[in-house]
Amino acid sequence: MSGLPSIDELREVLMLESYNTRLVVLATTLLGIGAGLVGAFLLLRKRSLMGDVLSHATLPGIGIAFALGTSMAGGGKSLGILLTGATLSGLAGVAVMLAIIRTTRLRDDVAMGFVLSVFFGAGTAILRMVQSLPNAAGLESFIYGKTASMVSGDFIVIAVVSVLSAVAVILLIKELTVLCFDQAFAASEGWPVLLLDGILLALVTAVTVVGLQAVGLILVIAFLIIPAAAARFWTERLPVMLILSAVIGGISGWLGASISALLTDLPAGALIVLTAASIFTVSMIFGTTRGVLPRWLDQRRLQRRVGRQHLLRAAYEILESRSRPPVNDPVSRTELLEHRSWTPHQLARELSHARKEDHLEAPTDRSMIHLSESGFGEAARITRNHRLWELYLIRHADIAPSHVDRDADLVEHILGSEMVRELETELASRTQVPASPHRL
């Protein structure tokens, strides 16, 4: 492996001073933008494995196109001829897969695995057979990608296909959105579902085929799927997801190709995918919409809120069992433990949280707790919402009073003010706290 790059080499790559570096970086960046846009719909259409099948099925077409081109015109290694063969072969693979799915009772994953392995095996055998033909060296680069061999003609093909794919996605965003989210609705409204599906497949095929030289047929599916999957962690809105997917794809192409230009022993295709995977990992952890860390924090906040509400309601119900209306007197820890199925450790934790939120008075006797004024009011509000929901379930869901407590417990913590007002209207209840419909 080469050593660390010098400042001059770094500047040369960042400023795109080298002609070959300029071609490779710009081509992979444009390809990443196009793949990100098309891949977003491929992901939403739940056709990720279809893209993998398509990419692997291109290999026989490359070998056959090279053999035919060499025997007929002597120019079998022309990129146009090879990509034409790859396109036809890839589409044939997808057609065989769809035929297996629709004419047999085999599952989709079985058909995909069969076509992927058979076409890739056939392609490997064909490439071995054509090695004896003149000028056959380097055909294997389509398996792993070889961006360093890119010339201006390759750049033009990649740029044109990427830009046209991006424009097609933007022009058909409404139609493709309906197709991905509700195919049955689209068909019932008279939308040409089959045509739209064909257009999406054609876009995937175009990006996959032109991406063969950049990242190879094994890794090109990652270029399609990873940016879209990473973008999904940050937003629920499709336009924003498309923009993020295109940006992540473009950055992956630019950064991976630039690092490969600095570290010449490392293949660009692998670095592009690793760059995209790094962005995916960061998105998976920190993504504001679906990231692991924000969801874990939300879960923690919900558990804390549920625990606080259980504690306050338990204290209020104990006070309610002494007198009605209840008087805010101290409640012993023993009564709370008997009222709820807490361990002493769990009760101590909930009490600590309640004190931090100013729902408890400062303890004078550690065996007793005393709700603060705000805590008592909050306990009454929580108990009232719980009773309203219990009465609603008894009246409209025919749940027995003896079983309604647990059912109400599952949903009461997500009741908003609007839902509470609807319950009040439905139950014609304006009392402070309704009586419990079951034995406490």
PDB file of all heavy atoms in Angstrom, residues 54 57-58 60-62 65 68 81-95 119 205 209:
ATOM      1  N   LEU A  54     -30.488  -7.921 -11.170  1.00  0.00           N
ATOM      2  CA  LEU A  54     -30.212  -7.282 -12.460  1.00  0.00           C
ATOM      3  C   LEU A  54     -28.713  -7.076 -12.662  1.00  0.00           C
ATOM      4  O   LEU A  54     -28.171  -7.358 -13.737  1.00  0.00           O
ATOM      5  CB  LEU A  54     -30.958  -5.950 -12.521  1.00  0.00           C
ATOM      6  CG  LEU A  54     -31.098  -5.278 -13.876  1.00  0.00           C
ATOM      7  CD1 LEU A  54     -32.340  -4.399 -13.889  1.00  0.00           C
ATOM      8  CD2 LEU A  54     -29.888  -4.426 -14.229  1.00  0.00           C
ATOM      9  N   ALA A  57     -26.962 -10.314 -13.327  1.00  0.00           N
ATOM     10  CA  ALA A  57     -27.369 -10.920 -14.596  1.00  0.00           C
ATOM     11  C   ALA A  57     -26.748 -10.233 -15.797  1.00  0.00           C
ATOM     12  O   ALA A  57     -26.901 -10.713 -16.925  1.00  0.00           O
ATOM     13  CB  ALA A  57     -28.894 -10.889 -14.704  1.00  0.00           C
ATOM     14  N   THR A  58     -26.062  -9.120 -15.594  1.00  0.00           N
ATOM     15  CA  THR A  58     -25.431  -8.432 -16.729  1.00  0.00           C
ATOM     16  C   THR A  58     -24.160  -9.119 -17.196  1.00  0.00           C
ATOM     17  O   THR A  58     -23.716  -8.899 -18.320  1.00  0.00           O
ATOM     18  CB  THR A  58     -25.079  -6.979 -16.355  1.00  0.00           C
ATOM     19  OG1 THR A  58     -24.200  -6.994 -15.212  1.00  0.00           O
ATOM     20  CG2 THR A  58     -26.323  -6.175 -16.038  1.00  0.00           C
ATOM     21  N   PRO A  60     -23.208 -12.296 -18.133  1.00  0.00           N
ATOM     22  CA  PRO A  60     -23.173 -13.073 -19.390  1.00  0.00           C
ATOM     23  C   PRO A  60     -23.252 -12.162 -20.615  1.00  0.00           C
ATOM     24  O   PRO A  60     -22.584 -12.439 -21.630  1.00  0.00           O
ATOM     25  CB  PRO A  60     -24.404 -13.981 -19.279  1.00  0.00           C
ATOM     26  CG  PRO A  60     -24.727 -14.043 -17.837  1.00  0.00           C
ATOM     27  CD  PRO A  60     -24.329 -12.722 -17.278  1.00  0.00           C
ATOM     28  N   GLY A  61     -24.051 -11.110 -20.544  1.00  0.00           N
ATOM     29  CA  GLY A  61     -24.198 -10.208 -21.681  1.00  0.00           C
ATOM     30  C   GLY A  61     -22.896  -9.527 -22.041  1.00  0.00           C
ATOM     31  O   GLY A  61     -22.614  -9.292 -23.227  1.00  0.00           O
ATOM     32  N   ILE A  62     -22.081  -9.209 -21.023  1.00  0.00           N
ATOM     33  CA  ILE A  62     -20.790  -8.572 -21.298  1.00  0.00           C
ATOM     34  C   ILE A  62     -19.893  -9.516 -22.087  1.00  0.00           C
ATOM     35  O   ILE A  62     -19.275  -9.129 -23.095  1.00  0.00           O
ATOM     36  CB  ILE A  62     -20.131  -8.142 -19.976  1.00  0.00           C
ATOM     37  CG1 ILE A  62     -20.964  -7.036 -19.306  1.00  0.00           C
ATOM     38  CG2 ILE A  62     -18.704  -7.682 -20.201  1.00  0.00           C
ATOM     39  CD1 ILE A  62     -20.517  -6.689 -17.905  1.00  0.00           C
ATOM     40  N   ALA A  65     -21.447 -10.124 -25.668  1.00  0.00           N
ATOM     41  CA  ALA A  65     -21.305  -8.922 -26.501  1.00  0.00           C
ATOM     42  C   ALA A  65     -19.861  -8.753 -26.955  1.00  0.00           C
ATOM     43  O   ALA A  65     -19.596  -8.379 -28.106  1.00  0.00           O
ATOM     44  CB  ALA A  65     -21.758  -7.692 -25.715  1.00  0.00           C
ATOM     45  N   LEU A  68     -19.226 -11.398 -29.756  1.00  0.00           N
ATOM     46  CA  LEU A  68     -19.886 -11.028 -31.013  1.00  0.00           C
ATOM     47  C   LEU A  68     -19.227  -9.804 -31.642  1.00  0.00           C
ATOM     48  O   LEU A  68     -19.011  -9.759 -32.864  1.00  0.00           O
ATOM     49  CB  LEU A  68     -21.374 -10.749 -30.749  1.00  0.00           C
ATOM     50  CG  LEU A  68     -22.234 -11.967 -30.378  1.00  0.00           C
ATOM     51  CD1 LEU A  68     -23.662 -11.533 -30.034  1.00  0.00           C
ATOM     52  CD2 LEU A  68     -22.253 -12.974 -31.522  1.00  0.00           C
ATOM     53  N   ILE A  81     -20.949  -1.371 -27.024  1.00  0.00           N
ATOM     54  CA  ILE A  81     -21.333  -2.765 -27.295  1.00  0.00           C
ATOM     55  C   ILE A  81     -21.459  -3.552 -25.997  1.00  0.00           C
ATOM     56  O   ILE A  81     -22.419  -4.306 -25.795  1.00  0.00           O
ATOM     57  CB  ILE A  81     -20.287  -3.418 -28.227  1.00  0.00           C
ATOM     58  CG1 ILE A  81     -20.325  -2.739 -29.595  1.00  0.00           C
ATOM     59  CG2 ILE A  81     -20.527  -4.916 -28.354  1.00  0.00           C
ATOM     60  CD1 ILE A  81     -19.248  -3.232 -30.550  1.00  0.00           C
ATOM     61  N   LEU A  82     -20.499  -3.381 -25.102  1.00  0.00           N
ATOM     62  CA  LEU A  82     -20.528  -4.131 -23.838  1.00  0.00           C
ATOM     63  C   LEU A  82     -21.742  -3.739 -22.985  1.00  0.00           C
ATOM     64  O   LEU A  82     -22.401  -4.599 -22.395  1.00  0.00           O
ATOM     65  CB  LEU A  82     -19.236  -3.875 -23.062  1.00  0.00           C
ATOM     66  CG  LEU A  82     -17.945  -4.383 -23.711  1.00  0.00           C
ATOM     67  CD1 LEU A  82     -16.744  -4.023 -22.845  1.00  0.00           C
ATOM     68  CD2 LEU A  82     -18.005  -5.884 -23.943  1.00  0.00           C
ATOM     69  N   LEU A  83     -22.050  -2.438 -22.929  1.00  0.00           N
ATOM     70  CA  LEU A  83     -23.196  -2.002 -22.132  1.00  0.00           C
ATOM     71  C   LEU A  83     -24.517  -2.455 -22.746  1.00  0.00           C
ATOM     72  O   LEU A  83     -25.471  -2.753 -22.028  1.00  0.00           O
ATOM     73  CB  LEU A  83     -23.187  -0.486 -21.974  1.00  0.00           C
ATOM     74  CG  LEU A  83     -22.019   0.089 -21.157  1.00  0.00           C
ATOM     75  CD1 LEU A  83     -22.203   1.584 -20.953  1.00  0.00           C
ATOM     76  CD2 LEU A  83     -21.887  -0.615 -19.810  1.00  0.00           C
ATOM     77  N   THR A  84     -24.558  -2.509 -24.090  1.00  0.00           N
ATOM     78  CA  THR A  84     -25.766  -3.031 -24.737  1.00  0.00           C
ATOM     79  C   THR A  84     -25.980  -4.502 -24.368  1.00  0.00           C
ATOM     80  O   THR A  84     -27.100  -4.929 -24.026  1.00  0.00           O
ATOM     81  CB  THR A  84     -25.661  -2.890 -26.258  1.00  0.00           C
ATOM     82  OG1 THR A  84     -25.478  -1.513 -26.584  1.00  0.00           O
ATOM     83  CG2 THR A  84     -26.915  -3.412 -26.953  1.00  0.00           C
ATOM     84  N   GLY A  85     -24.899  -5.270 -24.427  1.00  0.00           N
ATOM     85  CA  GLY A  85     -25.001  -6.681 -24.028  1.00  0.00           C
ATOM     86  C   GLY A  85     -25.381  -6.831 -22.567  1.00  0.00           C
ATOM     87  O   GLY A  85     -26.213  -7.676 -22.210  1.00  0.00           O
ATOM     88  N   ALA A  86     -24.806  -5.983 -21.711  1.00  0.00           N
ATOM     89  CA  ALA A  86     -25.125  -6.043 -20.286  1.00  0.00           C
ATOM     90  C   ALA A  86     -26.593  -5.703 -20.033  1.00  0.00           C
ATOM     91  O   ALA A  86     -27.268  -6.343 -19.205  1.00  0.00           O
ATOM     92  CB  ALA A  86     -24.227  -5.073 -19.515  1.00  0.00           C
ATOM     93  N   THR A  87     -27.099  -4.710 -20.761  1.00  0.00           N
ATOM     94  CA  THR A  87     -28.507  -4.316 -20.585  1.00  0.00           C
ATOM     95  C   THR A  87     -29.445  -5.450 -20.972  1.00  0.00           C
ATOM     96  O   THR A  87     -30.380  -5.792 -20.220  1.00  0.00           O
ATOM     97  CB  THR A  87     -28.804  -3.086 -21.461  1.00  0.00           C
ATOM     98  OG1 THR A  87     -27.926  -2.026 -21.095  1.00  0.00           O
ATOM     99  CG2 THR A  87     -30.248  -2.636 -21.278  1.00  0.00           C
ATOM    100  N   LEU A  88     -29.208  -6.043 -22.153  1.00  0.00           N
ATOM    101  CA  LEU A  88     -30.091  -7.128 -22.610  1.00  0.00           C
ATOM    102  C   LEU A  88     -30.019  -8.323 -21.664  1.00  0.00           C
ATOM    103  O   LEU A  88     -31.038  -8.947 -21.336  1.00  0.00           O
ATOM    104  CB  LEU A  88     -29.693  -7.542 -24.036  1.00  0.00           C
ATOM    105  CG  LEU A  88     -29.887  -6.455 -25.109  1.00  0.00           C
ATOM    106  CD1 LEU A  88     -29.349  -6.932 -26.460  1.00  0.00           C
ATOM    107  CD2 LEU A  88     -31.355  -6.077 -25.214  1.00  0.00           C
ATOM    108  N   SER A  89     -28.808  -8.639 -21.217  1.00  0.00           N
ATOM    109  CA  SER A  89     -28.648  -9.782 -20.318  1.00  0.00           C
ATOM    110  C   SER A  89     -29.320  -9.521 -18.971  1.00  0.00           C
ATOM    111  O   SER A  89     -29.974 -10.392 -18.393  1.00  0.00           O
ATOM    112  CB  SER A  89     -27.156 -10.065 -20.119  1.00  0.00           C
ATOM    113  OG  SER A  89     -26.975 -11.156 -19.259  1.00  0.00           O
ATOM    114  N   GLY A  90     -29.158  -8.298 -18.462  1.00  0.00           N
ATOM    115  CA  GLY A  90     -29.787  -7.962 -17.188  1.00  0.00           C
ATOM    116  C   GLY A  90     -31.301  -8.028 -17.263  1.00  0.00           C
ATOM    117  O   GLY A  90     -31.959  -8.570 -16.364  1.00  0.00           O
ATOM    118  N   LEU A  91     -31.853  -7.480 -18.345  1.00  0.00           N
ATOM    119  CA  LEU A  91     -33.310  -7.539 -18.506  1.00  0.00           C
ATOM    120  C   LEU A  91     -33.789  -8.975 -18.665  1.00  0.00           C
ATOM    121  O   LEU A  91     -34.863  -9.336 -18.166  1.00  0.00           O
ATOM    122  CB  LEU A  91     -33.721  -6.700 -19.724  1.00  0.00           C
ATOM    123  CG  LEU A  91     -33.538  -5.181 -19.573  1.00  0.00           C
ATOM    124  CD1 LEU A  91     -33.892  -4.478 -20.873  1.00  0.00           C
ATOM    125  CD2 LEU A  91     -34.406  -4.650 -18.433  1.00  0.00           C
ATOM    126  N   ALA A  92     -32.982  -9.804 -19.346  1.00  0.00           N
ATOM    127  CA  ALA A  92     -33.355 -11.216 -19.479  1.00  0.00           C
ATOM    128  C   ALA A  92     -33.382 -11.894 -18.113  1.00  0.00           C
ATOM    129  O   ALA A  92     -34.273 -12.706 -17.823  1.00  0.00           O
ATOM    130  CB  ALA A  92     -32.362 -11.928 -20.405  1.00  0.00           C
ATOM    131  N   GLY A  93     -32.425 -11.558 -17.264  1.00  0.00           N
ATOM    132  CA  GLY A  93     -32.408 -12.131 -15.923  1.00  0.00           C
ATOM    133  C   GLY A  93     -33.636 -11.746 -15.126  1.00  0.00           C
ATOM    134  O   GLY A  93     -34.255 -12.579 -14.449  1.00  0.00           O
ATOM    135  N   VAL A  94     -34.015 -10.452 -15.187  1.00  0.00           N
ATOM    136  CA  VAL A  94     -35.209 -10.003 -14.468  1.00  0.00           C
ATOM    137  C   VAL A  94     -36.456 -10.671 -15.031  1.00  0.00           C
ATOM    138  O   VAL A  94     -37.372 -11.056 -14.285  1.00  0.00           O
ATOM    139  CB  VAL A  94     -35.327  -8.466 -14.556  1.00  0.00           C
ATOM    140  CG1 VAL A  94     -36.638  -7.994 -13.961  1.00  0.00           C
ATOM    141  CG2 VAL A  94     -34.161  -7.813 -13.832  1.00  0.00           C
ATOM    142  N   ALA A  95     -36.504 -10.834 -16.372  1.00  0.00           N
ATOM    143  CA  ALA A  95     -37.665 -11.485 -16.993  1.00  0.00           C
ATOM    144  C   ALA A  95     -37.792 -12.933 -16.528  1.00  0.00           C
ATOM    145  O   ALA A  95     -38.899 -13.413 -16.225  1.00  0.00           O
ATOM    146  CB  ALA A  95     -37.530 -11.429 -18.517  1.00  0.00           C
ATOM    147  N   PHE A 119     -27.097 -16.820 -13.450  1.00  0.00           N
ATOM    148  CA  PHE A 119     -26.575 -15.854 -14.428  1.00  0.00           C
ATOM    149  C   PHE A 119     -25.140 -15.458 -14.102  1.00  0.00           C
ATOM    150  O   PHE A 119     -24.315 -15.301 -14.999  1.00  0.00           O
ATOM    151  CB  PHE A 119     -27.473 -14.611 -14.478  1.00  0.00           C
ATOM    152  CG  PHE A 119     -28.600 -14.731 -15.460  1.00  0.00           C
ATOM    153  CD1 PHE A 119     -29.684 -15.562 -15.211  1.00  0.00           C
ATOM    154  CD2 PHE A 119     -28.586 -14.021 -16.651  1.00  0.00           C
ATOM    155  CE1 PHE A 119     -30.727 -15.681 -16.114  1.00  0.00           C
ATOM    156  CE2 PHE A 119     -29.618 -14.135 -17.569  1.00  0.00           C
ATOM    157  CZ  PHE A 119     -30.697 -14.970 -17.301  1.00  0.00           C
ATOM    158  N   THR A 205     -32.123  -0.169 -14.560  1.00  0.00           N
ATOM    159  CA  THR A 205     -31.224  -0.852 -15.500  1.00  0.00           C
ATOM    160  C   THR A 205     -30.176   0.113 -16.045  1.00  0.00           C
ATOM    161  O   THR A 205     -28.981  -0.223 -16.117  1.00  0.00           O
ATOM    162  CB  THR A 205     -32.047  -1.437 -16.666  1.00  0.00           C
ATOM    163  OG1 THR A 205     -33.051  -2.307 -16.146  1.00  0.00           O
ATOM    164  CG2 THR A 205     -31.152  -2.202 -17.622  1.00  0.00           C
ATOM    165  N   VAL A 209     -26.240  -0.421 -15.327  1.00  0.00           N
ATOM    166  CA  VAL A 209     -25.322  -0.770 -16.420  1.00  0.00           C
ATOM    167  C   VAL A 209     -24.179   0.243 -16.527  1.00  0.00           C
ATOM    168  O   VAL A 209     -23.008  -0.137 -16.666  1.00  0.00           O
ATOM    169  CB  VAL A 209     -26.114  -0.873 -17.742  1.00  0.00           C
ATOM    170  CG1 VAL A 209     -25.164  -1.002 -18.921  1.00  0.00           C
ATOM    171  CG2 VAL A 209     -27.055  -2.070 -17.700  1.00  0.00           C
TER     172      VAL A 209
END
